């Protein structure tokens, strides 16, 4: 009988830095950069209602990304199994919340459903595709790709400190 039982992968947890939070902060920053252009175009096409609808839609998109990152970052520290469940069921829950948020305002005088719907679709996809240019898909630099040698040193130092804290 073997007394050295290996823990299940699902029982493991992540104690390192959270690249999800870093990436989401970057997505929100880019969303705020794009906001004036989006709102301006919506105002030109649909008038004041379009501008307010795009602002509301952009707020929903950015909140959706922040909630998703928060769920993953928080649950990964508890267990990978919980993270997978939160990712799957959190997606369904977040879709429901967006649908509810749209349903609650759909009959308001300041809402243009076309502007709101297009904002939700275009901004979700647009921000994700924009962010793909800056994400590092390597284990050496999880999260955002370093832009200079100073960033590489800084990320290495942060990773070393978090590993030392986790081992202490």
């Amino acid at each position: 009988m073997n007394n050295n039982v290996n823990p299940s992968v699902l029982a493991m947890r992540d104690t390192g830095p959270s690249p999800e939070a870093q990436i989401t902060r970057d997505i929100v920053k880019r969303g705020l950069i794009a906001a004036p252009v989006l709102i301006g175009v919506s105002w030109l096409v649909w008038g004041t209602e379009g501008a307010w609808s795009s602002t509301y839609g952009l707020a929903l998109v950015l909140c959706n990304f922040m909630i998703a990152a928060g769920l993953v970052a928080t649950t990964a520290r508890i267990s990978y199994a919980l993270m997978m469940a939160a990712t799957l069921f959190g997606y369904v829950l977040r879709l429901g919340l967006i649908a509810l948020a749209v349903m609650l305002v759909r009959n308001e005088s300041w809402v243009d459903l076309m502007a709101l719907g297009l904002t939700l679709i275009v901004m979700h996809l647009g921000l994700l595709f924009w962010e793909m240019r800056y994400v590092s898909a390597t284990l050496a630099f999880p999260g955002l790709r370093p832009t200079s040698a100073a960033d590489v040193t800084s990320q290495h130092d942060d990773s070393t400190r978090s590993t030392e804290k986790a081992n202490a």
Side-chain angles (χ1 to χ4, degrees), residues 7 23-24 27 38-39 46 66 76 87 95 111-112 120 138 143 153 168:
I23 291 170
T24 300
I27 288 175
L38 171 73
I39 294 167
W46 293 287
M66 289 187 289
T87 302
L95 280 178
V111 173
D112 183 296
L120 289 172
T138 66
T153 304

Side-chain angles (χ1 to χ4, degrees), residues 122-142:
V122 169
M123 289 309 288
H124 269 108
L125 294 174
L127 288 172
L128 287 173
F129 278 104
W130 191 3
E131 191 64 20
M132 280 176 22
R133 298 186 63 218
Y134 301 98
V135 172
S136 170
T138 66
L139 293 176
F141 302 105

Side-chain angles (χ1 to χ4, degrees), residues 80-112:
Y80 288 144
L82 182 61
M83 181 189 68
M84 288 187 279
T87 302
L88 173 64
F89 296 112
Y91 175 73
V92 174
L93 177 69
R94 289 181 293 112
L95 280 178
L97 287 174
I98 290 173
L100 178 65
V102 171
M103 292 298 176
L104 289 175
V105 300
R106 74 181 185 274
N107 295 323
E108 296 295 325
S109 62
W110 55 269
V111 173
D112 183 296

Side-chain angles (χ1 to χ4, degrees), residues 20 24 65-75:
E20 302 86 10
T24 300
F65 283 131
M66 289 187 289
I67 291 168
L71 279 171
V72 172
T74 302
T75 56

Side-chain angles (χ1 to χ4, degrees), residues 28 31-32 35 38-39 51-67 98 101 110 116 119-120 123-124 127:
V28 170
L32 294 175
L38 171 73
I39 294 167
W52 283 114
S53 297
S54 287
T55 303
Y56 183 68
L58 181 61
L60 289 176
V61 169
L62 297 179
C63 286
N64 184 34
F65 283 131
M66 289 187 289
I67 291 168
I98 290 173
W110 55 269
L116 178 57
T119 298
L120 289 172
M123 289 309 288
H124 269 108
L127 288 172

